[in-house]
Every structure is written in structure tokens, then in C-alpha cells.
Amino acid sequence: QAKRESMLARLLYKNQVEDQTTVSDLDVQDYYNAHKNEITDPEKRSFSIILVSDKAKADLAASLAKKGENFAKLAKKYSEDPSAAQNDGRTGLVQKGHYPDYDEKAFSMAKGEVSDPVQVPRGWAVIKVDEIETPQPMPYENAAFSIKQALMTQQSEKVITEKLAQWKKNYPIKIYERNLKKAELKKTRPSDAVLQQKEKEAQKQQQSLPLAQ
């Protein structure tokens, strides 16, 4: 029964909402043209990391890097991350979220800046920002699908709001309180107050039981 009702509801939504919602390629293009400056690829940064297990070693690496020593060589010499031997500790251009342990610091620094030691889950890190790529306008081809989905959702919400208002006006609604009570959803876990009350009742029942002879 529940599966049948779900299917009927889906058919109703398709017939009354989806089939009456259309977004043309021209609509998408117009939206893109009007919001081009807001539709951008996120900022990307390339930074290098020296990762060590103790702060004293991190302090030394940071001090040498700030004095101008080659950061790539320092990464190879001091970093305990095995990948540093191959990539000099460089991340390559990445957007925020790719290296969450380092994001807060790496995305707040200027290009060429070397950080003080930063404590991270794997130890201590010294970070240098190598390159910053500012947000770039997203090409229409890359943005079109997301724009169309957003416009479809926007139109669907408008259609269903109008339909509900129309149905309420044309078809009087009568609420059956008894049926509402029957259909009331039960919580998966009783509240603390209910649990305490049940515990008290259980204790009373145990006290009222006759003692074993």
C-alpha cells in the first residue's frame, strides 16, 4: 500500500509540476550572462609543506626557510612525509578542501610567505605559498548544467506553491482529528521524561510483587 501511494504521489508530482516546468537553453544563457561575474571557479593555491613529528625540528626548518634557504631542499632534508622526496613537498594547484589540515593557514598567507610551525594531526608543519590562482570566470559549457538544475528547482517550487494555493481554494479540506492521531509518527527513542516515568512504574511493579517463599 505504501509503495503504491508513493508511486501515485510521484506520478502526481510529475504530471502537475515537472511536466509544467521548462527551462530553455536561452534561459540558461540569459542567466549566465547576467551573473557571469558571480559564476567562477574557486581560488586555487600551490603550497609546499615540511612535515615533522616534533616542534623543535619544525622551528629549525621554519627559521632556515625564512632566512632564504631553498624550501624544496629543506623539504627533502627535513620532511618526514615520504612523498617529499619526489615532489619537494609541493601540493600542486588545489582548491580549498583538498588539504583540510593545512587550509586555514595556507589560504590566509601571501605568495612566497613562509609560516611559523603549525600543529596538525600528523605532527608539525611549515608551509610556504608558491602560487595563487585567483577565481576565474567559469566557461558557459562548465556552468550550464548546474544553472539549468537550479532554474528547474526554482520553477518547480513556484509551480507547486501556486498549485497548492489553487487546490486549497478549489477543494475544501476537512481534517479528521481521529485519523491524525492514528497516523501520528512515533519517535524512535522516547524522551528522557518518558523513560524516567517508565522506570518509576517498573520499580513500583517490582515492589508490589510478592516475595518468593
Side-chain angles (χ1 to χ4, degrees):
Q1 177 67 21
K3 186 176 180 180
R4 182 172 179 273
E5 289 178 355
S6 177
M7 183 180 69
L8 289 173
R10 176 66 188 143
L11 289 172
L12 177 64
Y13 184 83
K14 183 178 185 305
N15 178 263
Q16 296 294 320
V17 180
E18 285 186 353
D19 290 351
Q20 298 184 39
T21 302
T22 57
V23 175
S24 68
D25 291 342
L26 182 59
D27 294 331
V28 176
Q29 183 70 63
D30 287 345
Y31 184 93
Y32 177 82
N33 292 339
H35 300 83
K36 189 179 296 185
N37 293 334
E38 304 164 30
I39 304 172
T40 60
D41 285 320
E43 176 186 299
K44 294 179 182 178
R45 293 189 172 210
S46 175
F47 46 96
S48 300
I49 304 165
I50 297 174
L51 179 67
V52 296
S53 56
D54 65 272
K55 189 172 184 296
K57 197 173 179 181
D59 285 333
L60 175 60
S63 175
L64 293 172
K66 289 185 178 185
K67 288 177 181 177
E69 290 204 23
N70 186 283
F71 199 91
K73 290 181 179 179
L74 291 173
K76 282 184 177 180
K77 181 177 180 179
Y78 292 105
S79 185
E80 297 170 18
D81 186 337
S83 64
Q86 284 76 42
N87 60 19
D88 299 335
R90 289 176 66 97
T91 62
L93 276 171
V94 293
Q95 63 188 53
K96 202 169 187 178
H98 201 83
Y99 291 93
D101 293 341
Y102 309 100
D103 278 353
E104 184 176 354
K105 191 65 180 176
F107 279 81
S108 66
M109 298 163 60
K111 182 179 177 180
E113 184 179 354
V114 176
S115 75
D116 291 326
V118 179
Q119 191 167 20
V120 295
R122 295 171 61 193
W124 290 87
V126 179
I127 303 166
K128 179 184 178 183
V129 176
D130 301 309
E131 184 180 353
I132 299 175
E133 186 180 276
T134 56
Q136 300 294 317
M138 186 179 294
Y140 173 78
E141 294 75 17
N142 296 352
F145 179 78
S146 296
I147 293 174
K148 186 167 186 176
Q149 293 299 110
L151 292 178
M152 289 284 287
T153 299
Q154 187 180 67
Q155 280 201 24
S156 295
E157 291 174 352
K158 181 181 178 182
V159 169
I160 199 168
T161 299
E162 292 173 349
K163 288 283 184 183
L164 287 172
Q166 181 182 339
W167 291 339
K168 286 179 181 179
K169 182 179 179 181
N170 296 342
Y171 307 102
I173 298 173
K174 185 174 182 180
I175 299 175
Y176 293 87
E177 296 291 345
R178 288 181 61 188
N179 290 341
L180 282 177
K181 290 179 181 178
K182 290 179 183 178
E184 182 182 6
L185 296 175
K186 303 298 181 183
K187 294 182 179 178
T188 56
R189 180 186 183 278
S191 66
D192 291 339
V194 172
L195 290 173
Q196 290 173 3
Q197 182 62 32
K198 287 187 176 181
E199 185 177 350
K200 289 179 181 178
E201 291 174 358
Q203 290 174 351
K204 288 181 181 179
Q205 288 178 354
Q206 287 179 348
Q207 293 171 357
S208 64
L209 290 175
L211 294 175
Q213 298 298 322

